[in-house]
Amino acid sequence: MIERRNFYIDGAWVAPRAGQPCEVIDPSTEEPFAVISLGGQADTDAAVAAARAAQPGWAATSKAERSDLLARILGLYKARAEDLAQAMSREMGAPIDFARTSQVGAGAWHIKGFIHALDMFEFDRPLGSHAPGDRILMDPMGVIGMITPWNWPMNQITLKVIPALATGCTMVLKPSEIAPLSAMIFAEILHEAGVPPGVFNLVNGDGAGVGTQLSGHPDIDMISFTGSTRAGIAISKNAADTLKRVHLELGGKGANLIFADADEQAVQRGVLHCFQNSGQSCNAPTRMLVERAVYDAAVETARAVAETMEVGPADREGRHIGPLVSATQFDKVQALIQTGIDEGARLVAGGLGRPDGFNRGYFVRPTVFADVTNDMTIAREEIFGPVLSIIPFDSEEEAVTIANDTEYGLTNYVQSQDGARCNRLARRLRAGMVEMNGASRGVGSPFGGVKRSGNGREGGIWGLEEFCEVKAVSGWHE
């Protein structure tokens, strides 16, 4: 049993002041394999106090000093890549090869992206030639409370910690208590890289405890949260009394619009993307909207892809999907699959229960529903499992209407060889991001959504600006 009971506060690993034990469960076996401590108010207060004391000194450092620190972090991150992969695979069920490439790779990609963005970022800017005595200063936001999820641990931690460091902020990180071990390895990386005491602090805890304490803390200037829409609403309400800035990256119900002229790999690509990370991604294209002329063929392709998708334990090498993260998540997904059946969707692949050969572990059968209507529960709620809903449409106008008819607005997808149509749809789809024909977003592209998918943007220049206050100065002397 792995014991990780300490918190990282003011540059050192310290025993919790009010910690309660919490088991970390291996989702492939349903067995506990590690024990951490959940912090209490005294632990949160100590971490916030350390961050508050360190903030003026860190804010006074130069851009060059911060850039050098990020470069050291990147080198150490790469050196600890296997440790991070093993931790994430065990704690949240990512197959080990996927953990090595995508889960660990996402963090390295973001660190490199922020090093590049910081090089271009101007903290001191002229307002314009019309006002030569006016300057715009981008000041550090201050002390940041960070609450990160279990589904992409390093992706979300690096999207918050690295830009905060780059802009002169100090911070307290509360990683998910479900997947905390990779975050503690990341804290070791920052310590070895030479992050000054108090600049970065880590306190393990749950949302009701440390999460609530951070969002309502008077000495926290901003909360950066990634997780469920339900939790995001609760955090916003709790933060309101202190008028702190709240950045939210929340759920999604992405629509993937596939037209008759889409390339021959479009359906397969959409199914694989939906099932990536066992469907536990907020930007997953879980609603596949297909033009009527190619609908039947698309359903058949989706069925075939799902039925050939392998499921296996996280420690097995190879290309397959692993378990869901927890019993709670497993039960939720099973209930939503049953709801899809009860509401009349046509089950064409997968369904209830574990895949053949599994009698334990939170494994789910890759599932495809056809003939879904957009008012069905499986088309409205974020399932967060390997479940795809296929919906037919007859016209571009109808496709846009269906796609936008959702409470969410994170990522939508378009598959068509008609460039003019793609560009029209990119403007009309109400989402923070639109990806077309399998093209990935470039380094520095902002990540974030609208409506119940949250507010603010992470990544690149926009990600740095999220951690800055804008100060307007007149009468500037050159």
Side-chain angles (χ1 to χ4, degrees), residues 272-343:
L272 293 175
H273 193 173
C274 177
F275 292 165
Q276 184 190 53
N277 205 37
S278 301
Q280 299 171 127
S281 299
C282 54
N283 62 344
T286 55
R287 292 183 297 153
M288 180 178 283
L289 280 52
V290 182
E291 191 167 6
R292 185 86 59 182
V294 293
Y295 178 77
D296 290 341
V299 170
E300 176 59 25
T301 298
R303 180 199 62 76
V305 173
E307 290 184 348
T308 58
M309 179 77 65
E310 291 189 31
V311 179
D315 62 356
R316 193 180 85 194
E317 296 189 346
R319 186 173 183 177
H320 57 279
I321 66 173
L324 299 183
V325 75
S326 66
T328 298
Q329 195 64 25
F330 178 85
D331 290 344
K332 175 191 172 186
V333 172
Q334 293 297 308
L336 284 165
I337 292 172
Q338 183 64 62
T339 298
I341 295 169
D342 293 343
E343 292 184 356

Side-chain angles (χ1 to χ4, degrees), residues 164-321:
L165 290 172
T167 53
C169 296
T170 59
M171 66 214 74
V172 179
L173 169 67
K174 187 208 84 64
S176 170
E177 72 278 15
I178 295 175
L181 301 184
S182 56
M184 299 177 84
I185 294 171
F186 187 75
E188 294 171 356
I189 291 170
L190 297 194
H191 181 82
E192 188 176 350
V195 174
V199 172
F200 170 84
N201 306 273
L202 182 150
V203 177
N204 283 311
D206 57 18
V210 175
T212 297
Q213 293 157 18
L214 287 173
S215 61
H217 204 290
D219 286 333
I220 293 282
D221 298 301
M222 171 180 164
I223 288 289
S224 181
F225 170 75
T226 300
S228 71
T229 298
R230 174 198 56 76
I233 292 169
I235 286 169
S236 297
K237 290 179 178 178
N238 194 45
D241 286 343
T242 52
L243 293 175
K244 57 173 58 69
R245 183 183 293 184
V246 178
H247 170 110
L248 302 172
E249 199 281 283
L250 307 176
K253 196 67 183 175
N256 185 8
L257 282 59
I258 299 181
F259 289 85
D261 65 346
D263 68 87
E264 62 182 12
Q265 299 299 316
V267 174
Q268 179 183 19
R269 185 167 63 239
V271 177
L272 293 175
H273 193 173
C274 177
F275 292 165
Q276 184 190 53
N277 205 37
S278 301
Q280 299 171 127
S281 299
C282 54
N283 62 344
T286 55
R287 292 183 297 153
M288 180 178 283
L289 280 52
V290 182
E291 191 167 6
R292 185 86 59 182
V294 293
Y295 178 77
D296 290 341
V299 170
E300 176 59 25
T301 298
R303 180 199 62 76
V305 173
E307 290 184 348
T308 58
M309 179 77 65
E310 291 189 31
V311 179
D315 62 356
R316 193 180 85 194
E317 296 189 346
R319 186 173 183 177
H320 57 279
I321 66 173

Side-chain angles (χ1 to χ4, degrees), residues 105-117:
W109 195 72
H110 290 311
I111 298 170
K112 287 188 287 187
F114 280 123
I115 291 172
H116 176 68

